[in-house]
Amino acid sequence: MSARWHLQLCIIGALLLQGCATTAPADLWRNTGTFAACPPRPNCVSSVASDSDHAIAPLRYSGTAAAARERLIAALAAMPRNRIEYATPEYLHVVFVSRLLRFRDDVEFLIGDGVIQVRSRSRIGYSDLGVNRARVERLRALFEQGGG
């Protein structure tokens, strides 16, 4: 095999290992009591962000917080490759895993009166090519349809 082919294999292997081996960030709400600001990279959206690059609307609902939480869980169940990592009555931390390279994105939900704040961030990389924003909007559509 050529040196170029070896280099390509090394890069692909490193990406695969990096995608699989990442751990949850320390700045999650469950650890700090607040949503962390998005980093200065286009791989994060947050309903508490003030800048247009990262800002996204929260999920809104009427009825009880418990019913909204169940709708949210049903909407998550309708989406592929995710698991709830941590849950309380008012908070969910969900990890989504990409199909090919197994990259992990952390999505947090804080359920309040009539509103669910959301933050979705890629663990690694500079850009997510709009994946986090699209994911939240897909989740919003499922949530508004009643969960799934």
Side-chain angles (χ1 to χ4, degrees), residues 75-127:
L76 288 164
M79 297 181 73
R81 297 179 307 282
N82 74 78
R83 69 180 178 280
I84 297 174
E85 289 286 313
Y86 183 84
T88 68
E90 70 278 347
Y91 174 80
L92 294 174
H93 169 217
V94 181
V95 175
F96 281 81
V97 180
S98 69
R99 182 177 32 227
L100 275 180
L101 295 179
R102 312 295 294 165
F103 293 127
R104 286 161 173 72
D105 294 345
D106 293 283
V107 186
E108 299 180 277
F109 303 95
L110 187 60
I111 304 165
D113 290 331
V115 67
I116 300 174
Q117 299 295 346
V118 60
R119 179 178 185 259
S120 185
R121 178 182 179 219
S122 300
R123 287 188 185 175
I124 61 171
Y126 178 77
S127 175

Side-chain angles (χ1 to χ4, degrees), residues 1-76:
M1 281 197 257
S2 71
R4 181 180 174 137
W5 178 247
H6 278 36
L7 177 61
Q8 289 173 338
L9 283 177
C10 287
I11 290 170
I12 291 169
L15 287 172
L16 287 172
L17 288 174
Q18 188 177 20
C20 295
T22 59
T23 58
D27 66 355
L28 295 173
W29 181 90
R30 74 180 199 210
N31 300 328
T32 65
T34 186
F35 276 169
C38 284
R41 299 185 301 272
N43 69 356
C44 176
V45 294
S46 174
S47 60
V48 298
S50 58
D51 64 296
S52 61
D53 291 338
H54 297 109
I56 196 162
L59 306 178
R60 301 209 180 270
Y61 68 91
S62 58
T64 68
R69 183 180 188 276
E70 291 308 312
R71 272 181 41 209
L72 178 58
I73 290 171
L76 288 164

